[in-house]
Amino acid sequence: FVFKLQRQSDRYRQPEEDQLSQLARLCGPIVYANHQRYADPNQYPGRWPKLEKNLQYFNVVRDPFSRANSAFHYAVNIDLRHDRARKVIESRRKDRCGCHAMSFSQCVERAEEMDCPQNLQIGSSKDTIYDYILDDRLLAGFDLQQDCKDRMEGKVEGVSPFVNASIDFIKERYIFVGIAERFRLGLKVLETKMPDFFTRAPDLSDNIPKQRSGHEAKLSAKAREILEAHPCNLNEKVFYEKVVEYFWEEVDRLGIETRARRKLRKL
């Protein structure tokens, strides 16, 4: 069984119909990788029958606080982003809350002292943990900035219904959603679920050089504590926790070998 890997690195966030048209033109079997929202061919009955029948999605999410740390440093990585990074550096230099020449942890830890509450909200309207896993319809029903404003004013407390709706969406629409912090174990799940595509993938991944998107320092425990306590970050925090819970449910359901299981057998 031979398949092709199609990595689309220059067309992120395509409109849904453009993405589906592109997928329909590809000759399978194929694994297609991109930073893209979920696009549902069933919303266009009869237009892409091959996709309606055969298209399957899997995804990976990352701890949102670790992700924010990386994004902060990636934004100013000149080696990778060139002029775009220089623009961000200049913008941070001019902005009192721009945290110029600081690590992300320093930026977070000094936010209260500098009176920069915006530095404590890890997501924005265009960059959240949800962006590349949900579809436009579900995302359109949730205003992140308004939710944050309402929370800061004490009008909203607790987890938004949007979070549970998102988890239901993932369980219904995805063959699997892994977590970046357990990447190799996630490959074992895919190997079990889709052996034609992922046989030996966990072992092969060990030989792939690990790439970093920036030169970030590790997020400090104090900065993480501050971010986790911020009301505007509650939904992303709980969303990730629920994805992690679902991940381990799948690992257990499939009976996949883990270090913990090996230790238990030895006892």
Side-chain angles (χ1 to χ4, degrees):
F1 185 88
V2 179
F3 70 93
K4 182 168 63 173
L5 172 65
Q6 175 79 22
R7 185 176 184 275
Q8 191 69 52
S9 59
D10 59 348
R11 297 186 66 187
Y12 294 163
R13 296 177 183 268
Q14 298 177 79
E16 183 175 77
E17 291 185 63
D18 290 353
Q19 181 186 356
L20 291 169
S21 294
Q22 183 181 20
L23 289 172
R25 290 194 296 270
L26 299 174
C27 296
I30 191 167
V31 172
Y32 174 88
N34 196 1
H35 291 301
Q36 187 69 45
R37 288 177 180 169
Y38 183 97
D40 185 4
N42 294 294
Q43 294 291 330
Y44 310 89
R47 189 168 173 185
W48 294 291
K50 181 176 74 171
L51 297 184
E52 290 180 42
K53 181 180 178 181
N54 298 316
L55 182 62
Q56 292 182 308
Y57 281 92
F58 60 91
N59 213 320
V60 178
V61 297
R62 183 180 179 186
D63 170 82
F65 304 107
S66 175
R67 178 179 179 271
N69 182 44
S70 290
F72 178 89
H73 293 278
Y74 173 67
V76 294
N77 188 315
I78 294 176
D79 293 339
L80 296 175
R81 289 172 50 81
H82 311 298
D83 287 343
R84 290 179 296 169
R86 293 185 180 93
K87 289 180 181 178
V88 175
I89 291 170
E90 186 59 25
S91 174
R92 288 184 184 178
R93 194 194 315 271
K94 293 178 180 179
D95 184 355
R96 185 180 63 83
C97 292
C99 295
H100 172 64
M102 292 184 191
S103 71
F104 183 62
S105 294
Q106 290 170 333
C107 181
V108 169
E109 291 172 20
R110 293 185 59 187
E112 185 173 351
E113 175 188 334
M114 297 169 67
D115 189 26
C116 297
Q118 65 270 34
N119 292 350
L120 301 179
Q121 183 183 359
I122 58 173
S124 69
S125 58
K126 295 183 179 180
D127 184 28
T128 67
I129 195 173
Y130 321 113
D131 253 14
Y132 295 119
I133 195 165
L134 306 180
D135 69 356
D136 290 329
R137 295 164 191 83
L138 188 54
L139 286 164
F142 180 66
D143 187 331
L144 179 75
Q145 297 303 322
Q146 185 60 50
D147 179 79
C148 181
K149 182 174 182 292
D150 290 344
R151 288 176 186 278
M152 296 306 292
E153 294 175 357
K155 297 178 182 178
V156 173
E157 294 181 354
V159 180
S160 298
F162 168 79
V163 172
N164 286 328
S166 299
I167 296 299
D168 290 342
F169 178 92
I170 287 171
K171 291 181 177 180
E172 177 185 344
R173 305 294 183 92
Y174 281 86
I175 187 171
F176 176 64
V177 173
I179 52 177
E181 292 73 20
R182 293 291 183 271
F183 186 75
R184 193 179 192 282
L185 186 55
L187 288 176
K188 286 187 177 182
V189 174
L190 288 171
E191 182 181 38
T192 303
K193 283 176 166 280
M194 304 174 67
D196 287 341
F197 289 90
F198 291 97
T199 293
R200 294 187 62 237
D203 295 331
L204 292 172
S205 72
D206 294 338
N207 299 319
I208 298 174
K210 302 298 186 290
Q211 294 185 339
R212 299 180 68 85
S213 59
H215 305 291
E216 73 269 17
K218 184 178 179 180
L219 182 65
S220 72
K222 181 179 179 181
R224 176 178 285 274
E225 183 180 353
I226 292 169
L227 292 170
E228 289 185 349
H230 195 276
C232 293
N233 299 331
L234 176 65
N235 283 326
E236 286 199 62
K237 175 179 180 289
V238 173
F239 175 82
Y240 175 73
E241 290 171 349
K242 287 179 175 290
V243 171
V244 171
E245 182 180 323
Y246 178 50
F247 171 84
W248 286 110
E249 286 174 0
E250 282 292 276
V251 170
D252 289 341
R253 185 180 68 81
L254 295 169
I256 292 173
E257 183 80 336
T258 63
R259 290 179 182 176
R261 281 204 177 97
R262 286 197 295 270
K263 288 181 179 178
L264 283 173
R265 281 209 310 271
K266 290 178 181 178
L267 295 177

